[in-house]
Amino acid sequence: MEQNYELPPNFEELKKSASRTSNWRERLDAVEQLGQWNDQQTINILARILKNDAVYPIQEAAYRKLRAFGEDAQLPPRKKGDLIKGAGKVFVRIKKSLPEGHTYEEFKEKLQKTRSDVYDTYEGDKGSDFDVWLEAMWNSLLSVKA
């Protein structure tokens, strides 16, 4: 793999994309692009993402890029429980804000509109299992009274 030892021309844009909490796809793309430029500034951004991103597949991508640069990076263990502090309360609040008898699709849509950061983080982390996981979460909240 050819490595560039300078900053990409769109570095500032990539730096912003790497921090955009409501768009895991944009962050993953930024990691992929930054991972082509072996520069201390890109390494610092990738190290921050590895350490702090709530979406595990993005942490894994940052880890792979850092290792390809020869950095001594350690992949953190996958987070258990809430990926975002208080996410369980967010789910309950959204459930309670909807009319009794609402559908899973209505719950999912409201979560996406009102808390895109929570929606996006779990969607990115769960991947193709996201809908199954979110519907199970919604079902577990059915006993919660509005």
Side-chain angles (χ1 to χ4, degrees):
M1 179 178 87
E2 189 181 317
Q3 291 181 359
N4 296 301
Y5 290 94
E6 55 190 73
L7 288 174
N10 59 342
F11 177 73
E12 289 303 317
E13 195 180 304
L14 290 173
K15 200 162 98 170
K16 287 178 189 162
S17 293
S19 298
R20 198 151 286 136
T21 59
S22 63
N23 192 330
W24 69 269
R25 287 174 182 86
E26 196 173 321
R27 290 196 318 277
L28 184 58
D29 185 54
V31 166
E32 295 299 332
Q33 288 188 53
L34 289 167
Q36 296 171 26
W37 300 84
N38 189 349
D39 176 87
Q40 192 57 52
Q41 290 182 69
T42 60
I43 289 170
N44 291 346
I45 292 170
L46 292 170
R48 177 186 54 77
I49 289 169
L50 173 62
K51 185 178 179 206
N52 299 318
D53 203 288
V55 177
Y56 199 70
I58 294 173
Q59 287 181 310
E60 290 175 319
Y63 169 76
R64 283 192 305 277
K65 295 298 183 181
L66 288 166
R67 294 297 292 192
F69 289 155
E71 294 295 310
D72 184 24
Q74 300 297 316
L75 187 62
R78 191 175 200 117
K79 236 178 163 181
K80 303 237 185 293
D82 285 353
L83 298 178
I84 293 180
K85 190 174 165 100
K89 291 177 183 174
V90 168
F91 297 131
V92 170
R93 263 196 310 280
I94 289 173
K95 157 84 177 89
K96 285 181 174 184
S97 73
L98 290 165
E100 197 165 327
H102 68 272
T103 65
Y104 162 68
E105 287 302 323
E106 291 169 320
F107 173 80
K108 180 181 173 182
E109 188 177 312
K110 181 145 190 189
L111 174 62
Q112 189 172 17
K113 283 182 178 170
T114 59
R115 287 300 304 268
S116 61
D117 60 328
V118 173
Y119 183 95
D120 189 78
T121 297
Y122 281 96
E123 182 190 37
D125 193 70
K126 302 295 181 190
S128 61
D129 295 332
F130 174 68
D131 270 311
V132 171
W133 173 84
L134 187 61
E135 191 163 5
M137 174 65 70
W138 172 73
N139 276 321
S140 74
L141 299 172
L142 287 179
S143 59
V144 176
K145 294 286 180 224

